[in-house]
Amino acid sequence: MIAKKYMNMKNRMSSQHSSHAVVIGGSIAGLLAARVLAEHFDRVTVIERDYYPDNPEPRSGVPQSNQGHFLLARGKQILEELFPGFVEELSEKGAIQVDITKDWVLLFEYGWWSCFSSDLTTWNCTRNLIENVIRKRLLNYTHLTFMEGHQVCELLASSDKREITGVRLKDSQGQESTLKANLTVDTSGRNSKAIQWLQALGYEKPQEQSINSFLGYATRWYQCPNHHQVDWKGINLMPKAPEFKRGGVIIPVEGNRWIVILSGIGGDYPPTNELGFLEFARSLRSPDIYEAIKDAQPLSPVYGYRRTENHLRHYEKLEKFPENFLILGDAVCSFNPVYGQGITVAALGALTLKSCLQQQKQNGVKLNLKGVSRRFQKQLAQVNNTPWLMATGEDLNWPTTVGGETSPIMKLIHFYMKYVKIVSCHDQRIQKIFTEVINMTKPSSALFSPNVFIPVLLRSLSNP
Ligand SMILES: Cc1cc2nc3c(=O)[nH]c(=O)nc-3n(C[C@H](O)[C@H](O)[C@H](O)COP(=O)(O)OP(=O)(O)OC[C@H]3O[C@@H](n4cnc5c(N)ncnc54)[C@H](O)[C@@H]3O)c2cc1C
């Protein structure tokens, strides 16, 4: 008995001295951050306001979880790097492997893209399956704990407010408690309260940028029709600026289901009633989606979604920022979802955290957290920059978009990209490079390399 008491005391003491990281919000960004932190801390705690469903299902803390998600090829690569065997597990659970240039049928702004085999692959599945597989992998880490049904309501700080020392949280009955941490990471998404929490400690509000194309989604899940013989594993009918505001996507996912997303830009929101949804599908630039769903069996109501503005918080520019506190994922930068970037950018953020923590190790051994907060936010800002410019650059093609200016350089890029898009409809090589840039497996500079630039320039000169 005395021995047991002693052991408990010893465990408590050692846990008091062990290093502890806390993650606020356990969706994709939080789970990936936790995976990286688990390499460097004795204990990691993920605090999540929801209770996770056991199976891959939508949950209320992630309102976009009943919307279709496309996993970009770069995102897939990073998930496999962080969790070896990840894609095999997705496949066992019914995700569908796709050769992006062959299996996705795409009506681009200036015509249909060709379908040809390539090495550019990803998996079609729900966001919920991705989250579920990641979380189940993390359950194997014995030093990683999930506190479900707990909501963080405040940051704790040292008396001089220079360091974040943990969080105050509430359980589902409103019972408050505190949790001390050596490092606190906010991944609580688009509605993160980090700005208010920091302001309460006397920090300035960071600059924020918001660029809104007023895009709305209406999404419905269908049973994949048995009789429907198709040679595609995804359709994307894109809008065409400035006149054609409507687009639509079918993503086949696990469970023999289709997620059908209709979207309208510039406030041309798709209806969420049955008839209106079908009529909207019929009004797209091509009848393929309407034809595919008109007799299909719906599995869900129509889910609307309109919070789609690109939003960027410049924490990296703050003159003062506390030690031992990091922010990543949608909590820093969220995108118009139509470009499918969020999961991949969250994964890139986790890789940035990994390399940043590695750099903080003294002699490659002891982790020293001094300065990590500022260093990380600056590195993350660089990582976010390209996807931000890609998404907002596209949105600024629409005269109805609000926020952000179309600078002379942006006008030049729009002009150039118009001809990249035109040429890509006839030139598979350029289509492939463009697809790789969109999928973040190639840098955007690839679109300005001579083998793209010259044909694009020639085309623009022949038809200005
Ligand atoms: C309509 C729509 C469609 C999208 N489509 C795509 C797509 O096709 N491809 C793609 O890659 N991305 C897509 N995204 C983006 C993608 O969903 C997110 O970028 C991705 O999930 C990463 O988000 P996150 O983890 O940073 O935040 P979220 O997913 O928003 O998660 C935040 C988490 O924090 C928890 N939380 C919040 N506050 C607290 C608190 N105080 N205490 C404790 N827990 C808290 C929430 O419950 C939630 O679990 C889409 C987004 C939307 C809105």
Side-chain angles (χ1 to χ4, degrees), residues 23-32 46-52 59-72 75 127 130-131 147 149-154 168-170 186-193 197 215 217 219 251 261 304-308 328-347:
V23 177
I24 308 170
S27 174
I28 308 279
L31 296 176
L32 297 180
V46 177
I47 304 170
E48 171 51 52
R49 64 183 172 189
D50 274 351
Y51 288 93
Y52 292 102
R59 59 186 177 87
S60 60
V62 183
Q64 72 271 29
S65 55
N66 47 28
Q67 300 290 337
H69 279 61
F70 183 76
L71 178 62
L72 299 181
R127 175 213 157 282
I130 295 173
E131 179 184 286
M147 282 183 83
H150 284 76
Q151 180 152 357
V152 170
C153 45
E154 195 181 35
R168 182 179 303 283
L169 59 162
K170 273 189 199 148
D186 177 31
T187 50
S188 59
R190 199 179 259 266
N191 297 322
S192 158
K193 296 277 182 293
W197 293 337
L215 176 114
Y217 267 27
T219 293
I251 314 179
I261 306 166
Y305 197 96
R306 294 186 184 174
R307 285 250 0 241
T308 60
L328 74 138
D330 282 15
V332 173
C333 186
S334 53
F335 303 93
N336 179 341
V338 82
Y339 308 113
Q341 297 172 310
I343 293 176
T344 299
V345 174

Side-chain angles (χ1 to χ4, degrees), residues 213-440:
S213 67
F214 297 95
L215 176 114
Y217 267 27
T219 293
R220 195 167 202 191
W221 298 44
Y222 288 86
Q223 185 73 51
C224 171
N226 287 335
H227 61 272
H228 204 85
Q229 296 296 323
V230 290
D231 54 3
W232 46 258
K233 296 183 191 168
I235 304 187
N236 186 355
L237 306 177
M238 293 180 62
K240 183 176 187 305
E243 69 277 15
F244 206 90
K245 296 177 175 177
R246 299 180 172 190
V249 178
I250 299 182
I251 314 179
V253 295
E254 75 275 6
N256 208 25
R257 294 170 295 175
W258 283 351
I259 302 183
V260 178
I261 306 166
L262 302 180
S263 63
I265 213 158
D268 183 14
Y269 298 127
T272 51
N273 64 71
E274 172 129 21
L275 271 181
F277 186 82
L278 279 176
E279 277 312 307
F280 194 95
R282 206 215 291 258
S283 73
L284 299 180
R285 289 170 62 208
S286 155
D288 302 66
I289 292 183
Y290 173 73
E291 291 298 333
I293 64 171
K294 68 179 192 318
D295 299 318
Q297 171 70 43
L299 297 174
S300 76
V302 181
Y303 304 109
Y305 197 96
R306 294 186 184 174
R307 285 250 0 241
T308 60
E309 73 278 9
N310 304 283
H311 196 91
L312 180 57
R313 294 159 178 145
H314 288 285
Y315 289 107
E316 82 286 358
K317 290 189 182 163
L318 279 177
E319 229 170 80
K320 288 192 180 144
F321 193 73
E323 294 278 1
N324 305 339
F325 182 56
L326 315 176
I327 316 177
L328 74 138
D330 282 15
V332 173
C333 186
S334 53
F335 303 93
N336 179 341
V338 82
Y339 308 113
Q341 297 172 310
I343 293 176
T344 299
V345 174
L348 286 167
L351 283 194
T352 310
L353 178 61
K354 190 176 157 88
S355 72
C356 210
L357 290 176
Q358 204 55 46
Q359 288 158 20
Q360 296 289 132
K361 282 202 159 171
Q362 286 168 340
N363 311 322
V365 185
K366 194 171 179 308
L367 185 64
N368 176 358
L369 290 172
K370 193 155 176 49
V372 71
S373 308
R374 295 190 76 82
R375 212 162 289 134
F376 173 76
Q377 296 310 145
K378 282 191 191 311
Q379 291 183 16
L380 184 72
Q382 285 178 5
V383 168
N384 288 339
N385 192 38
T386 301
W388 173 261
L389 289 177
M390 279 164 62
T392 56
E394 275 301 308
D395 281 357
L396 287 168
N397 270 317
W398 297 87
T400 41
T401 295
V402 170
E405 302 232 315
T406 314
S407 62
I409 290 183
M410 183 62 87
K411 282 190 184 141
L412 199 64
I413 292 176
H414 280 164
F415 176 81
Y416 181 74
M417 287 308 297
K418 174 179 164 187
Y419 285 97
V420 170
K421 289 170 185 174
I422 291 173
V423 175
S424 70
C425 293
H426 310 288
D427 184 330
Q428 288 186 359
R429 206 177 38 83
I430 291 182
Q431 180 188 327
K432 168 96 188 303
I433 295 171
F434 197 6
T435 313
E436 287 167 327
V437 170
I438 293 170
N439 276 272
M440 299 192 207

Side-chain angles (χ1 to χ4, degrees), residues 154-221:
E154 195 181 35
L155 295 174
L156 305 177
S158 55
S159 51
D160 61 5
K161 315 278 191 250
R162 288 197 186 157
E163 279 176 34
I164 298 304
T165 57
V167 293
R168 182 179 303 283
L169 59 162
K170 273 189 199 148
D171 68 14
S172 43
Q173 268 79 49
Q175 193 72 40
E176 284 199 12
S177 57
T178 58
L179 195 60
K180 291 275 183 189
N182 305 87
L183 184 67
T184 301
V185 179
D186 177 31
T187 50
S188 59
R190 199 179 259 266
N191 297 322
S192 158
K193 296 277 182 293
I195 292 182
Q196 292 89 317
W197 293 337
L198 289 174
Q199 280 184 306
L201 295 172
Y203 288 91
E204 296 283 311
K205 194 173 187 287
Q207 282 173 30
E208 293 180 77
Q209 265 178 289
S210 190
I211 298 182
N212 196 345
S213 67
F214 297 95
L215 176 114
Y217 267 27
T219 293
R220 195 167 202 191
W221 298 44

